[in-house]
Amino acid sequence: MTEVRRRLGATPGQVDAVLADGWAYGLWVVGAVHIREVSQDWPKPGAWIRHSVGAWPLTIEDRTYVEEYEPGRLLQLRAHAGPAGTARVRLEWEPDGDGTAVRMSEDAIAGPGTLVPPPVRAPLLRLRNGESLARLAAIARGRPEEPGQA
């Protein structure tokens, strides 16, 4: 799996709040351009998000599923992108001083993406996921710990 690490200037609770909000997925995940539906049990294992991937008008409609979730610590997803294949994405986070250390790992697990040699796909995943973590950091910093808190 290709891994990216980043320290976020947000608390673990703020990070968890963004990741536990399925409607926010399209704001921080590079490539997800439109969230169409989020299962009511998001982010419990088996929950899903129906989303579009790509640049309009050339988008692919598909789903991402939660494989594992531990509040305040871990979210593992199985992300589908139509004919491009399927990836496993794992986010782990923990307190780091007054912020949060986040590790994001991803790799192709099915479809044509698995045919791309890891040395070729890894740099692209690092760039994309580095930007995803930068977006996650920006959203989490502006999010209150508890709903209604300003």
Side-chain angles (χ1 to χ4, degrees), residues 27-150:
L27 299 174
W28 66 271
V29 175
V30 173
V33 294
H34 179 69
I35 305 303
R36 298 187 320 279
E37 187 178 6
V38 177
S39 67
Q40 292 195 2
D41 56 346
W42 182 272
K44 292 181 181 174
W48 47 264
I49 295 174
R50 291 180 58 222
H51 56 80
S52 300
V53 177
W56 185 89
L58 304 174
T59 58
I60 298 167
E61 294 187 359
D62 224 320
R63 290 186 187 207
T64 290
Y65 295 87
V66 176
E67 291 186 327
E68 189 176 350
Y69 176 62
E70 293 179 30
R73 193 186 92 66
L74 170 100
L75 177 64
Q76 183 168 294
L77 306 170
R78 188 175 68 248
H80 296 268
T86 303
R88 176 160 289 123
V89 180
R90 185 175 179 93
L91 291 115
E92 297 174 85
W93 61 102
E94 62 186 11
D96 183 16
D98 61 349
T100 304
V102 180
R103 180 173 62 210
M104 183 176 186
S105 306
E106 180 176 354
D107 207 357
I109 59 170
T114 61
L115 302 175
V116 178
V120 174
R121 69 178 179 246
L124 300 173
L125 287 173
R126 278 190 205 96
L127 284 172
R128 185 177 86 97
N129 291 342
E131 174 60 22
S132 289
L133 289 182
R135 293 177 184 189
L136 176 62
I139 297 165
R141 274 194 312 268
R143 194 173 197 107
E145 284 284 340
E146 298 291 328
Q149 182 182 10

